[in-house]
Structures are given as structure tokens and as C-alpha cells.
Amino acid sequence: MAASAAPLVLSILAEGDSYGYAIIKRVGELSGGELEWTDGLLYPLLHRLERQGLVDSRWGASETGRRRKYYALTDPGRGAIAQHRAQWSTVAAALEAAWDKARVELRSAGPAGARA
Amino acid sequence: MSAPELSSLDDQVALWRGHMERRGAVDGRDVDELEDHLRGHIEALTAAGLSEEEAFLVAVKRLGSQDAIAHEFAQENSRRLWKQLVLGGAPSRPADARAGGLAAVAFAVAGGLLARLTVAVDASEEFWLRNVSLIGFAALIAYLLWRRPPSRGVLAATLVCFAVVAAAANAIPLTTGSDALVVTALHVPILTWLVVLLAYTGDRWRTVDGRMDAVRFTGEWVIYMALLAIGGGVLTAVTLGVSSAAGVDAAHVVESWILPIAAAGAVVIAAWLVESKQSVIENMAPVLARVFTPLFALTFAALVVVVLVGGSPGALDRDTLLICDGVLIIAVGLILYSLTARPDGARAG
């Protein structure tokens, strides 16, 4: 699972309690279908988040009466989202800066390379 | 949506579930959760117009390979394998009195008492060489027959076979200390074990799956027996040490009470462990078989060299032949067992 998976799952749970299949669907909606996970790997991730105390789980029932496990964000989970946000902003800003520089260099190096 | 289709979907999901549950790292509740996901996805896909079969295939594919899922779960639950071994439970099935440990303990105690009574009646070496397996496996056969009652025919066949083996073991006149007696002692257990396997497979004795299961059962049972024997050996040594420190000679008590009862009891307990902790040992047994097969091949090669160097095969002494016999029995067991070991991920997903 990508590094973005944990913050994404936590953020989806910040919208309200949810369960595995709905979380996967929400990831698809949020990313416009661009992010496609191997569905089954979400569950080990959810269990890890639970062990870390970032989410809580309880067994309930689906609309059709099937046993279903629901997850809810905890207060430490909310804190973790704030941390993730700060980290991802930093990463995004750093990447943007790097790409800006690369674009400048590409602009100057590209045509020169073509002429040679 | 017609009824047969529905049941075939349930069958497919159940099959998928069975494969998933056999993975050591994924316990029953994890599989419940995955099944809810699978069924939720199937419902969404069928609502979008797919047939149930297509929906099942797509949903399983999207869920990912069972290997990958089990691997992730294993990393998350690295301690769970040990928990299973110690506390049991997984794969958790609905409570079944006949699968419970209590019943196994009852049969084990019965087996132990039978062994103890027999020791009290006749403790001569000759009698034990002829009958040790019959007495040791009697409770196991009873337990297996009770655990999964077979049809009357198979039940009768099992009992008749047991009686035949018992008669054969005791009918041949043999002198104490003769090699023939040793050969008998070596082979009666094999015949008795075949009866045990008949009791184990029950009505499935004619199917390939049933026979494969029986061979697997044999290998796993041997491993559990060895583990129990190691534990029992340590316990006995400690007991002897403590009692000799206290100035009591416990050797007689150990020999005539503890050993027969514990050994006969362990026979049943090992069988119960094979059944209830299958997912744990299944990862271990093929590995052990693979480790020991080349080692036994080497031993056997060495034996052949000894035979060749020793001169004409006709002049071989009986002891060497008996050892060859024993090694061959082990070799057959190892080969059979390696063959039946389920290849990883076979028919999974």
C-alpha cells in the first residue's frame, strides 16, 4: 500500500464512521477513479491503524443483515490527520519547488540538446 | 436470479472462504470482514448488470491474491501464529461438541487406562512387542469413529480389520528374542495404522481426497507425537530428578504408570491437535518433510554402501536388514507426505 493510504483512510473516516467496502468506494470517488488499491490490502492497514489507536472498530450489521465491521476515527486519529497534512504539504511544496527548477533547466537545456 | 445460481454463488464464496481460512495469519473474524467486502462488491456489480459469476470473479480479482492478503495480515499479526498454537481457536468454527478438546481428553484418558490395565495384566516383553500398537491405537480408532461416525459398513470393516490385525499379531508362534518377533513388532503398527486411517477417512476411503487427507493426517500426527514426546520426556526427566533428590526411586512408577498412560493418551491428543490446529502445522509439516527427505536419502545411500562393502547380500546379518526395513518405512512415509503437501496457493482465489 502506498504511503498515501493511511492519511487517506483516516481522512475518509473523519467524514464519518465507515466500513471497508465503502472506504474503497470513497477513495475511488475522491480520486476520480485514478487511485485503485488492491481491495484486500485495505484490511491489514485498517487493523494496523486500530492497533496504533488511530481508529476504533465495532461489529455491526449491514442493511441485509450480514456481519460488518465499522471503523471510527479516534482523537489520536484526528491528531494524526493534522500531522499527515503538515507532512504532505511539506512534501508537496518541496516537489513543486524541485519541478519548477527542473522546468527552468529543461527549458534552457532542451533546445540546446536538440541542436547538438 | 434463480435459486441454483444463488446457491452456486454461496458455494463459490464458501470455497473462497475455506481457502482464506486455511492461511495461518488470517483468523475467522478477518475472513468475515473480507467476505462482507466481497459480497458487498458482488451486490454492487450485479446491480450494475453483471451476472453473479462475473461479479464474483471481478470482486475476487479486485480483492487481490490470497497470498498477498495473507502476507499483509501476517505482517500485521506476526504474533498471532503463536497465539493460535497456544490458545487455539483459529480457524474458528461453530462450536461442535465432537470437535472439542474435552472429548479428546476423555478418549485419551480411556486409552491411558486401557494401556495401564494391560500393563497390570501382562507386562512381558513378547506380549508388548506383539500388541503395543493395537493397545495404543485402540482408543484413537474409537475416538475417530466417534468423532465422524461412518456408515455401518465402514464401521464394521474397521472393527473386522482391527480384529484381523490383532489375530495376526498374536497367532504366529514366535520365540522371545527372535528376529521374527522384531519384524512383527515393526510391521504390526503399520497394519494397525492402516486401520486407524480407515477409521479416519470413514466413508471417504474410496475418494482420492480422503486418502490424501489420510496421508496428511499421518504426517501431521507423527510431528505432533514427536513434539508431545519431547515435552513428555523433559517432564519425566524432571520428575525423576526431583524424586531422586527427595530420596525416592520413581523409576518403577514412571515405567508402569506414567509411561503407558501418557503415551497412549498422547496418541489421541496428537490426533485431536492435527484436526483442531491444522492451519498451524500445515505450514510446518511440508518444510520438515523437505528437510528430512534428502537427509534420509543420504542415510539410505550410506546404508547401501555398507551393504556393498559388507560382501554378498546373502551374508548380511539380520540387524542390517531390519535397519533397512525401518529406513524404507520412513522413506515411504516421507515421499508420500511430500507428495500430498498442498502446494502454496493451490486452487486459491
Side-chain angles (χ1 to χ4, degrees):
Chain A
M1 288 239 122
S4 58
L8 202 45
V9 167
L10 290 173
S11 309
I12 288 169
L13 288 175
E15 298 169 357
D17 297 1
S18 190
Y19 58 94
Y21 182 58
I23 293 174
I24 292 273
K25 268 204 305 197
R26 189 82 185 108
V27 170
E29 288 165 18
L30 286 172
S31 68
E34 289 290 318
L35 276 181
E36 287 215 338
W37 292 342
T38 308
D39 293 2
L41 301 190
L42 170 70
Y43 294 93
L45 170 68
L46 281 168
H47 294 193
R48 176 160 63 85
L49 295 176
E50 186 180 3
R51 181 168 54 80
Q52 292 168 342
L54 304 182
V55 303
D56 259 342
S57 75
R58 70 189 155 76
W59 282 98
S62 72
E63 317 81 57
T64 53
R66 224 174 19 241
R67 264 157 66 70
R68 176 169 286 171
K69 202 173 179 184
Y70 290 92
Y71 294 87
L73 199 63
T74 61
D75 286 336
R78 267 171 246 285
I81 293 179
Q83 272 183 14
H84 277 300
R85 256 188 114 150
Q87 281 171 7
W88 281 91
S89 307
T90 313
V91 170
L95 280 173
E96 283 298 332
W99 288 327
D100 272 346
K101 191 153 186 288
R103 211 173 294 142
V104 170
E105 276 176 10
L106 231 139
R107 227 174 272 143
S108 61
R115 255 181 256 123
Chain B
M1 195 191 307
S2 63
E5 267 182 5
L6 186 74
S7 83
S8 90
L9 175 67
D10 283 341
D11 285 349
Q12 280 180 308
V13 171
L15 195 66
W16 172 87
R17 228 196 122 90
H19 282 299
M20 200 74 230
E21 273 179 342
R22 247 179 255 137
R23 313 261 163 178
V26 191
D27 77 7
R29 279 169 310 163
D30 297 340
V31 184
D32 281 349
E33 198 178 10
L34 290 166
E35 185 184 336
D36 173 49
H37 180 109
L38 196 62
R39 286 184 181 274
H41 201 172
I42 290 170
E43 278 162 16
L45 290 170
T46 47
L50 259 61
S51 77
E52 281 194 338
E53 194 158 335
E54 289 165 340
F56 175 79
L57 289 175
V58 171
V60 164
K61 179 92 180 143
R62 288 284 314 152
L63 200 58
S65 82
Q66 293 196 332
D67 269 342
I69 298 172
H71 183 74
E72 284 293 311
F73 269 109
Q75 291 205 321
E76 172 53 24
N77 305 316
S78 48
R79 284 160 301 173
R80 197 183 273 166
L81 281 174
W82 284 105
K83 207 171 74 186
Q84 263 184 40
L85 194 56
V86 179
L87 300 175
S92 56
R93 293 208 183 83
D96 172 6
R98 297 193 175 220
L102 226 66
V105 169
F107 274 94
V109 169
L113 290 179
L114 176 69
R116 169 61 204 144
L117 276 176
T118 323
V119 170
V121 172
D122 187 349
S124 73
E125 195 190 339
E126 191 202 324
F127 175 80
W128 275 95
L129 281 175
R130 285 173 188 264
N131 291 303
V132 63
S133 63
L134 290 162
I135 295 157
F137 293 154
L140 174 58
I141 292 170
Y143 171 67
L144 291 171
L145 289 175
W146 175 82
R147 171 111 166 66
R148 268 191 296 266
S151 65
R152 273 190 190 181
V154 174
L155 179 68
T158 310
L159 297 178
V160 167
C161 287
F162 187 79
V164 168
V165 173
N170 290 287
I172 312 161
L174 299 166
T175 45
T176 311
S178 72
D179 288 331
L181 190 60
V182 178
V183 173
T184 309
L186 205 56
H187 290 88
V188 168
I190 297 174
L191 289 177
T192 323
W193 187 254
L194 289 177
V195 180
V196 169
L197 292 184
L198 182 58
Y200 173 79
T201 50
D203 296 333
R204 299 196 307 144
W205 69 275
R206 233 191 289 248
T207 67
V208 173
D209 269 0
R211 293 177 192 177
M212 292 293 246
D213 276 349
V215 178
R216 270 184 217 116
F217 171 77
T218 307
E220 288 161 16
W221 180 86
V222 167
I223 292 169
Y224 271 117
M225 252 337 243
L227 291 176
L228 290 174
I230 292 169
V234 172
L235 263 177
T236 313
V238 170
T239 312
L240 285 174
V242 168
S243 52
S244 79
V248 185
D249 182 16
H252 176 71
V253 178
V254 165
E255 201 173 292
S256 63
W257 280 91
I258 298 178
L259 195 63
I261 293 179
V267 166
V268 178
I269 296 296
W272 172 69
L273 285 172
V274 171
E275 294 272 280
S276 64
K277 318 269 166 159
Q278 204 166 26
S279 55
V280 177
I281 208 78
E282 215 166 67
N283 303 327
M284 211 189 297
V287 177
L288 285 178
R290 251 172 248 162
V291 169
F292 279 107
T293 305
L295 292 179
F296 271 100
L298 278 178
T299 314
F300 201 60
L303 207 57
V304 170
V305 170
V306 169
V307 169
L308 289 178
V309 170
S312 69
L316 275 178
D317 68 345
R318 286 266 179 91
D319 287 350
T320 319
L321 284 176
L322 281 178
I323 293 171
C324 289
D325 199 17
V327 171
L328 277 177
I329 292 168
I330 296 169
V332 168
L334 279 175
I335 291 168
L336 271 179
Y337 195 72
S338 318
L339 286 178
T340 59
R342 290 189 189 90
D344 290 339
R347 286 186 296 153

